[in-house]
Amino acid sequence: MKKYYILTSLMTLILSPAAASIGLFGAILVPTGILQFIAPVLMVILVWALHSRAAKLPDKASQVFLPAFIASCYYMGAWIAVFGLSSYRFDSSLFEGLYFGLTAPYFVINVLLSFGGDFSFFPLITAGTAVVTVLTVVITCAICKKKITFDKKVLVYALITICLFGIAAIQQFSRSMAVLSSDYQIERIKDEVNLYEYRPFSSSDKVASKLMRLDEPPTISFAENYPKLDGATAAYPVYAAIVQELYKGLDEKTVEQFVTCSKTDEAYQRLIDGKIDVFFGAQPSKQQVQAAKEKGVELSLTPIAREAFVFFVNKDNSVSSLTLEQIQSIYQKKITNWRDVGGKAGKIMPFQRPENSGSQTVMLAMVMGGKSLPEPLWEEYAAGMGGVISQVAEYRNYSAAIGYSFRFFATGMKPDENIKLLAIDGIDPTAENIQNGTYPLAIDVYAVTAGSDNENTDKLIEWILSEQGQNFIEKCGYVRIAKRTRL
């Protein structure tokens, strides 16, 4: 009996999962869809049939199936522990460090799952292996005319197994509330735009430039010592248009070394490192200010335009206005249902943006006022073998979702008829309300410098603050500042 348990435990823990993995891998090499499902099953059946004929099986079912039960509990327990401790994120160091080691016999299947970027099928694979194992033993016993007696312990095994898979199912549900897998049926509002449409001096017939043009010759221009510019995505159409109007003697290739769009976080780092002369976008985050301080760099912020920080929802959402306090409560998970703010019953899905992005910096500083935010929703997608990347989930147009961005981006760069901007405290984010300051979340757009030694840097900023510059800012889609000053 001892020999049976040792051999069978090795079978269920190592050989059976390995057989399933190898069978699936072999099936993939053959271009026949149904074989991909049959081959793993056949491998498990073959291994177990040989084992069952060679081994002396116990008489009681609970003894026969105990090794398979132990193996099933082990793999499900390992999954539940690793999956839960990693906060349901496949890219976490904890998940990557433990999962492959604890489930090594399934290595081939795990590698294949990594290509799809979703390991959540593992419990089903474990269940499938266990079911095939049990059926194989039963069928083999029938063929060999080996009678086994079913006892009450088998029911205990079944109940424990059901509980484990129930816990796994609850985890999957919890994950769906915190980690959003790619769903191409849901429209996504994100900061990925075709920046080529805003590239200065574009000569491509395939790219329709969206850059605004001056109505009259500029009062200043640069033919050398061009200031190097970088910034946020939402500011790129503005400073790229300025470059096209003021920088002379460049074309679409040569201009690339003077103007780019690295997005807020990287662009601020390039400013701090002295690789650019001017950053265009939102105020720096605390981390970016600290990074500049550690580098011995002083950031100088010049307001060049007014903008609005906006919240938006699905167009079918009955809520049209929220108070600042309600937004804070929503994002702190104190308000979790739309019915609590006058809408239809439905769980609120509050989306956040990546740390140190321009919108996330404004969200923390201006909206939350220093109040902390809970762990955000996360989104996962595959990027090649083992390359599961997680990031803060950018806004998806779910009916119960709420997201935030800048007005110019949401209405100018990525307009979408399926979303609507919310009023804050009953005040809409119109150009008039932004300029007169009645919209509560009106902000400044800055030109930020860090001690540039290019003499044309100050001249460029002075032009932006001039009457012609402000008219151009307004034409590009921003709101002109009420008072033109340097900080």
Side-chain angles (χ1 to χ4, degrees):
M1 185 68 69
K2 184 178 181 180
K3 181 180 179 181
Y4 167 78
Y5 284 134
I6 293 174
L7 290 175
T8 310
S9 295
L10 289 175
M11 284 287 300
T12 54
L13 284 168
I14 300 174
L15 297 182
S16 187
S21 281
I22 294 171
L24 180 60
F25 180 70
I28 290 177
L29 299 180
V30 180
T32 305
I34 189 65
L35 191 59
Q36 295 181 10
F37 298 97
I38 294 178
V41 175
L42 292 178
M43 284 294 292
V44 174
I45 290 175
L46 176 62
V47 171
W48 265 96
L50 293 174
H51 170 70
S52 298
R53 287 182 63 86
K56 183 178 180 181
L57 297 178
D59 295 326
K60 292 184 178 181
S62 60
Q63 296 173 330
V64 172
F65 298 121
L66 179 60
F69 169 70
I70 292 174
S72 179
C73 288
Y74 167 76
Y75 283 114
M76 286 306 302
W79 169 262
I80 289 170
V82 176
F83 193 47
L85 291 173
S86 63
S87 300
Y88 316 132
R89 283 162 40 196
F90 300 136
D91 75 318
S92 72
S93 58
L94 178 62
F95 185 90
E96 293 176 343
L98 291 179
Y99 172 74
F100 278 91
L102 293 176
T103 62
Y106 285 100
F107 178 75
V108 175
I109 286 180
N110 289 334
V111 170
L112 296 174
L113 290 177
S114 71
F115 279 105
D118 189 354
F119 293 87
S120 58
F121 292 100
F122 182 77
L124 295 178
I125 294 171
T126 302
T129 304
V131 169
V132 171
T133 298
V134 171
L135 290 177
T136 302
V137 174
V138 172
I139 294 171
T140 303
C141 288
I143 294 174
C144 298
K145 297 182 179 180
K146 169 66 178 179
K147 292 183 179 181
I148 55 175
T149 303
F150 283 86
D151 50 352
K152 292 181 179 180
K153 287 184 179 180
V154 174
L155 295 177
V156 176
Y157 295 169
L159 288 174
I160 293 175
T161 301
I162 291 172
C163 287
L164 288 174
F165 279 95
I167 293 172
I170 292 173
Q171 285 184 319
Q172 290 286 9
F173 176 77
S174 299
R175 180 178 185 270
S176 70
M177 296 293 100
V179 179
L180 303 177
S181 298
S182 293
D183 183 352
Y184 297 104
Q185 301 302 314
I186 301 296
E187 187 174 3
R188 181 173 178 175
I189 310 300
K190 56 181 183 175
D191 64 357
E192 297 299 328
V193 297
N194 185 2
L195 296 180
Y196 283 101
E197 295 179 345
Y198 301 96
R199 186 170 58 178
F201 310 114
S202 176
S203 61
S204 174
D205 294 333
K206 297 181 180 180
V207 177
S209 178
K210 293 184 178 181
L211 296 180
M212 294 293 107
R213 303 303 302 263
L214 279 170
D215 296 326
E216 67 283 328
T219 58
I220 190 175
S221 63
F222 306 105
E224 59 182 359
N225 296 330
Y226 308 104
K228 294 182 178 180
L229 315 181
D230 201 346
T233 303
Y236 183 59
V238 178
Y239 67 83
I242 291 173
V243 165
Q244 183 166 265
E245 294 302 310
L246 303 188
Y247 287 23
K248 306 302 180 183
L250 298 177
D251 56 32
E252 63 179 331
K253 292 296 183 183
T254 55
V255 75
E256 291 179 354
Q257 59 184 308
F258 301 108
V259 59
T260 189
C261 182
S262 302
K263 300 185 181 180
T264 300
D265 196 16
E266 184 179 344
Y268 259 119
Q269 190 59 54
R270 294 186 69 212
L271 177 68
I272 293 169
D273 292 340
K275 296 179 179 180
I276 61 171
D277 297 301
V278 189
F279 165 90
F280 289 90
Q283 67 191 66
S285 66
K286 292 180 180 179
Q287 293 91 331
Q288 288 154 351
V289 171
Q290 181 62 30
K293 185 177 180 181
E294 292 175 356
K295 194 93 172 183
V297 173
E298 183 177 354
L299 300 179
S300 176
L301 282 66
T302 303
I304 62 167
R306 294 287 285 167
E307 170 64 304
F309 191 69
V310 297
F311 288 84
F312 45 82
V313 296
N314 186 283
K315 66 175 182 179
D316 296 325
N317 194 319
S318 58
V319 174
S320 297
S321 179
L322 292 172
T323 67
L324 194 57
E325 290 74 17
Q326 287 174 330
I327 290 175
Q328 291 174 344
S329 296
I330 286 172
Y331 274 90
Q332 288 188 310
K333 306 295 179 68
K334 295 177 181 178
I335 295 177
T336 59
N337 199 294
W338 283 110
R339 66 168 174 262
D340 297 329
V341 289
K344 297 179 181 179
K347 182 179 175 63
I348 301 175
M349 300 176 69
F351 285 70
Q352 293 186 42
R353 293 283 287 111
E355 186 179 14
N356 290 327
S357 65
S359 53
Q360 188 71 356
T361 296
V362 174
M363 175 66 177
L364 291 170
M366 188 174 193
V367 179
M368 300 308 298
K371 298 177 181 178
S372 61
L373 287 172
E375 186 76 10
L377 296 168
W378 282 74
E379 182 174 63
E380 296 184 342
Y381 60 94
M385 178 177 175
V388 179
I389 302 174
S390 293
Q391 62 179 8
V392 179
E394 297 171 69
Y395 180 81
R396 280 183 182 275
N397 200 19
Y398 292 96
S399 59
I402 180 172
Y404 50 79
S405 185
F406 298 105
R407 173 180 174 269
F408 175 72
F409 182 84
T411 61
M413 295 181 71
K414 291 290 289 185
D416 193 292
E417 61 182 11
N418 293 314
I419 66 171
K420 65 177 179 180
L421 304 188
L422 294 176
I424 304 299
D425 294 332
I427 302 174
D428 292 313
T430 63
E432 181 181 0
N433 291 337
I434 294 170
Q435 190 168 54
N436 62 30
T438 56
Y439 180 70
L441 299 180
I443 62 172
D444 285 325
V445 180
Y446 295 98
V448 186
T449 57
S452 171
D453 57 3
N454 187 325
E455 61 182 9
N456 287 333
T457 298
D458 281 342
K459 294 179 181 179
L460 173 65
I461 296 176
E462 288 297 339
W463 178 84
I464 296 174
L465 296 175
S466 70
E467 184 66 23
Q468 187 182 53
Q470 284 297 292
N471 288 338
F472 192 55
I473 287 285
E474 194 168 40
K475 184 177 182 179
C476 287
Y478 279 132
V479 177
R480 64 167 59 222
I481 55 177
K483 187 178 181 179
R484 301 187 294 275
T485 58
R486 297 289 300 274
L487 298 183

